[in-house]
């Protein structure tokens, strides 16, 4: 397993050595070859332990991990979402951890929708979700988050989001949030949990969710950022992170959002599974100004 410094060095070089090199399918073989596989079946906790074991002893995986995961599972217990949506599923760690928490805390119709752009990663998620016995609660949707949100909304399958976990392409946090606001999927009462707001960081998103209604109305008059649509405050490696095989879709800036929504937002400091400091921004939509 690479050390933390090696990991940073690789990311600095722009290599995608930490994912999409076959390790995600390797994870499936690792788990299914375990001698105690029958005791893992139907147990979300044991599937998570097996993923953690692979990430600790074999190869790094970009999972949310236990420390930051606890912040979100506590939030799920409090919010008891009927519908929770995740942006970015990878191998299914957060999907299994949070999908299980949603099943325990909510009604029998409570569901967890994971939006994952890479079809191979989505297949890995589906396989591990089935192994964990969560297929009745969890739905995995393959495709770019903005296209999936639009499609699920248009079909009537997604009418409201009670809790949303943002953990995908960093520049898309704000554009996808605005899309959800515009479609009225995010309304007063909705709660957002955004990962990685310290490492690698997401200044445009924090600025947006911490702004007052007056500030958002003013910013909305100025229109979208120029160029490829990505805020220049993001380092190049953040914007290239997922471009290896699929290319990174152009960000849609057509959604103006709803600047009238009132947010209360604060950071919960925690750590990456590597020990690196990070934080989850918890944002509550508390009202709407007319
Ligand atoms: C940090 S990983 C997610 C980790 C996962 N939430 C966990 O904790 O187990 C980010 C994931 O977002 C996916 N992704 C990147 N851009 C996306 C987009 N526009 N729509 C949907 N998924 C995207 C990547 O393929 C990758 O699997």
């Amino acid at each position: 397993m690479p050390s933390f410094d090696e990991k940073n060095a690789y990311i600095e070089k722009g290599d995608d050595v930490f994912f999409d090199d076959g390790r995600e399918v390797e994870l499936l073989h690792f788990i299914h070859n375990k001698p105690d596989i029958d005791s893992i079946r139907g147990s979300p906790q044991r599937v998570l332990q097996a993923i953690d074991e692979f990430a600790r002893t074999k190869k790094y995986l970009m999972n949310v991990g236990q420390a930051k995961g606890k912040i979100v599972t506590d939030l799920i217990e409090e919010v008891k979402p009927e519908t929770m949506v995740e942006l970015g599923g990878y191998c299914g760690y957060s999907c299994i951890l949070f999908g299980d928490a949603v099943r325990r805390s909510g009604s029998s119709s409570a569901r967890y929708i994971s939006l994952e752009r890479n079809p191979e990663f989505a297949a890995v998620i589906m396989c591990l979700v089935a192994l964990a016995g969560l297929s009745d609660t969890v739905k995995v949707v393959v495709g770019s988050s903005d296209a999936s949100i639009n499609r699920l909304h248009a079909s009537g399958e997604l009418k409201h989001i009670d809790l949303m976990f943002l953990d995908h392409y960093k520049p898309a946090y704000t554009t996808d949030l605005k899309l959800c606001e515009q479609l009225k999927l995010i309304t007063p009462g909705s709660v957002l949990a955004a990962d990685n707001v310290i490492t690698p960081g997401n200044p445009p998103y924090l600025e947006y969710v911490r702004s007052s209604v007056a500030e958002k109305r003013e910013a909305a008059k100025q229109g979208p950022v120029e160029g490829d649509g990505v805020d220049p405050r993001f380092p190049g490696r953040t914007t290239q992170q997922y471009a290896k095989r699929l290319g990174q879709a152009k960000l849609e800036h057509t959604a103006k959002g709803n600047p009238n929504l009132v947010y209360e937002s604060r950071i919960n400091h925690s750590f990456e599974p590597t020990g690196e400091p990070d934080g989850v921004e918890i944002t509550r939509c508390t009202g709407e100004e007319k």
Side-chain angles (χ1 to χ4, degrees):
M1 181 185 166
S3 71
F4 171 65
D5 283 338
E6 283 170 323
K7 176 191 161 201
N8 265 346
Y10 282 127
I11 293 175
E12 282 295 343
K13 280 195 291 173
D15 294 343
D16 286 333
V17 294
F18 282 93
F19 57 91
D20 208 6
D21 61 352
R23 68 185 60 205
E24 295 79 16
V25 174
E26 233 180 276
L27 168 70
L28 293 183
H29 288 285
F30 172 81
I31 295 179
H32 280 275
N33 283 331
K34 285 181 80 64
D36 59 345
I37 179 67
D38 282 332
S39 72
I40 295 174
R41 284 182 204 284
S43 167
Q45 271 317 310
R46 291 197 175 148
V47 175
L48 292 171
Q49 278 166 10
I51 301 175
D52 275 333
E53 185 187 336
F54 179 91
R56 206 177 49 246
T57 62
K58 304 285 180 195
K59 289 179 180 169
Y60 171 82
L61 298 173
M62 51 177 171
N63 306 323
V64 65
Q66 292 177 10
K68 290 188 288 172
K70 170 96 172 55
I71 295 171
V72 181
T73 51
D74 286 349
L75 194 62
I76 292 170
E77 256 180 53
E78 179 207 315
V79 174
K80 302 193 191 328
E82 254 314 281
T83 301
M84 179 163 176
V85 172
E86 154 181 283
L87 309 183
Y90 191 41
C91 293
Y93 188 97
S94 53
C95 189
I96 292 168
L97 180 63
F98 304 154
D100 183 42
V102 165
R103 183 173 65 169
R104 288 166 187 276
S105 73
S107 73
S108 56
S109 56
R111 66 211 174 119
Y112 189 91
I113 304 174
S114 176
L115 309 185
E116 172 52 54
R117 183 163 172 255
N118 182 319
E120 279 179 26
F121 296 173
V124 171
I125 304 173
M126 289 179 208
C127 185
L128 293 180
V129 162
L131 183 66
L134 286 169
S135 300
D136 289 346
T137 304
V138 171
K139 180 180 173 106
V140 182
V141 179
V142 189
S144 184
S145 47
D146 52 349
S148 298
I149 290 165
N150 272 316
R151 206 175 50 250
L152 290 167
H153 174 262
S155 69
E157 206 174 322
L158 186 58
K159 293 192 168 73
H160 189 258
I161 299 174
D162 304 309
L163 183 50
M164 181 154 79
F165 178 58
L166 298 90
D167 191 19
H168 62 330
Y169 181 51
K170 303 313 157 197
Y173 282 27
T174 314
T175 50
D176 281 346
L177 172 56
K178 286 183 179 172
L179 174 63
C180 291
E181 290 177 345
Q182 192 148 317
L183 297 176
K184 296 191 176 6
L185 295 169
I186 296 290
T187 61
S190 297
V191 181
L192 315 166
D195 194 16
N196 303 126
V197 295
I198 292 178
T199 307
N202 202 326
Y205 178 80
L206 292 186
E207 183 179 286
Y208 186 74
V209 294
R210 293 175 182 179
S211 290
S212 66
V213 165
E215 287 165 337
K216 285 188 288 177
R217 283 178 183 159
E218 195 51 41
K221 286 185 201 157
Q222 289 159 24
V225 290
E226 296 300 320
D228 62 0
V230 174
D231 191 296
R233 282 174 287 179
F234 284 109
R237 66 174 199 257
T238 301
T239 57
Q240 289 307 309
Q241 197 181 10
Y242 300 111
K244 183 179 166 193
R245 281 208 290 164
L246 296 170
Q248 186 57 54
K250 284 254 179 219
L251 282 177
E252 286 293 339
H253 281 286
T254 46
K256 292 197 180 72
N258 179 359
N260 300 324
L261 292 178
V262 181
Y263 288 130
E264 281 177 16
S265 200
R266 68 180 169 82
I267 195 163
N268 283 249
H269 290 275
S270 186
F271 296 93
E272 283 275 290
T274 53
E276 201 173 357
D278 195 10
V280 179
E281 180 82 358
I282 308 287
T283 305
R284 293 162 200 273
C285 182
T286 56
E288 181 169 6
E289 285 183 16
K290 292 295 165 207

